[in-house]
Amino acid sequence: MDLSQYMQASFRGVEFHVAKSTLRIAHNLDKKSYPYKTRGLVTDMSVADDVFTLPIFLMGDDVLQRRLRLEDAFRVLGPGELVHPTRGPMQVCVESASGDELMTEFGIADYTVTFVLAGDKASPAVRLDTQAAALTAADDAEFACIAGYNFDVQSVDDANAVDADAVIKATVQLAQFARNLTPAQLQDMAFDTAVSVGTGFAALAISKVAPAIVGRAFSIAGSVAEYFGGSPEGVAAFVGTLSTYGGAAWQIVNAFTSGSTTATSTAQSRLRQITPVLTESGLWMAADNSVMSDNNQNTARVAQSLFDAVTVTAARSAITTTNYSSLNQALEVRDTVTAALSQASMATTSDDPVQQNTRRAALRGLRSSVNRDLSERAADLPILTETELQAATSRRAASYRLTDTLDGLNANPTRRPIFIPAAEKIYYRKA
């Protein structure tokens, strides 16, 4: 027999001898009994941790010193290394240890120790379903946005009556904004969806006009999201409408922000109402009263409602998309959505502080949920390197040059299957 394959037994570095080793393998069973039934229901829940029972002993002139060291090792909390004579090193926890000392046999210390296999983790890891939490936050944000607006649509003669012209004007503005946002294939649909509120104003009370208008904005945003689809590329394109300075939805809402330096001159000239005002000193000066205009306030809130709808819908699309191809792609979507949610939460959409605070809290909660969900799910994705080609190059040649493979640029949208133009950003994974 080759004795070299056996190891010196020890626990936490304290050596000892093993008389016998007993292994217990068990299952965690859930047993249920029922009245008047000969057999119950047994469910095998899991395999229990392996348990080793070892009768061990110490012997020698220094047995008293080693006995103290071994007993101190038994008292230490947490896993420790047990070197089993035939199974090798393993991480275990001490369940129990009992010592026997015969006064007729000096120089020997006997113990019976029960070790439980511990593995690397001292406790199970609990993972939150961030995707489900984020989807719940998106539903809450949609509800809060629909309920978080009011418009000046009261009749001048009767504060409880709906001003037909004001409602029709607001819904037509929503239709015009939708035309700027939606692809050509959806423009007629978006127009009809928006104007349908205005044509049915007679059946609406004052308290129902704002939810109806904002609800139509969410219908438009949902149709646009369906047009782009649920692929990572489609979601990225839809989310791109919220991009700062460049996105269509961003331009719509910021064109009607008072004092915005990034708004288009056409939108500003359409909104700004310069009126001569006589000052106390008797001099005339030009004053911009667009902020005080009820009509312009309605226009700004209609634009904001569409921005809210696109932002919440884009957040929901980003959450439900699980097959992002790279860390870069997921984080770009995350950053765009969270920036849009931050901007939306700062807008004033109601004179009622309860409505306003509820909407802001829901949007900020959605922002936190999206940030956590996409950050955690993107952690396992590959990181791509960004570069630009100096000259137009065939796709296969560029792939081979950058990745040593002919298909290493699959993470890029295939807009041009053969050649990649110069100065176009491409992404690849380093070998």
Side-chain angles (χ1 to χ4, degrees), residues 258 271-273 287-294 296-297:
S258 177
L271 279 179
R272 295 175 69 88
Q273 299 177 359
D288 183 359
N289 68 345
S290 59
V291 177
M292 303 301 294
S293 170
D294 292 335
N296 288 341
Q297 177 178 285

Side-chain angles (χ1 to χ4, degrees), residues 10-22:
S10 67
F11 179 64
R12 298 189 188 274
V14 182
E15 296 182 351
F16 50 78
H17 302 285
V18 179
K20 184 176 69 171
S21 175
T22 303

Side-chain angles (χ1 to χ4, degrees), residues 125-134 136 368-369 372-374 376-377:
V126 179
R127 185 185 181 99
L128 175 68
D129 188 349
T130 57
Q131 190 173 30
T136 300
S368 299
S369 297
R372 178 174 183 178
D373 176 57
L374 293 185
E376 290 193 6
R377 291 197 287 126

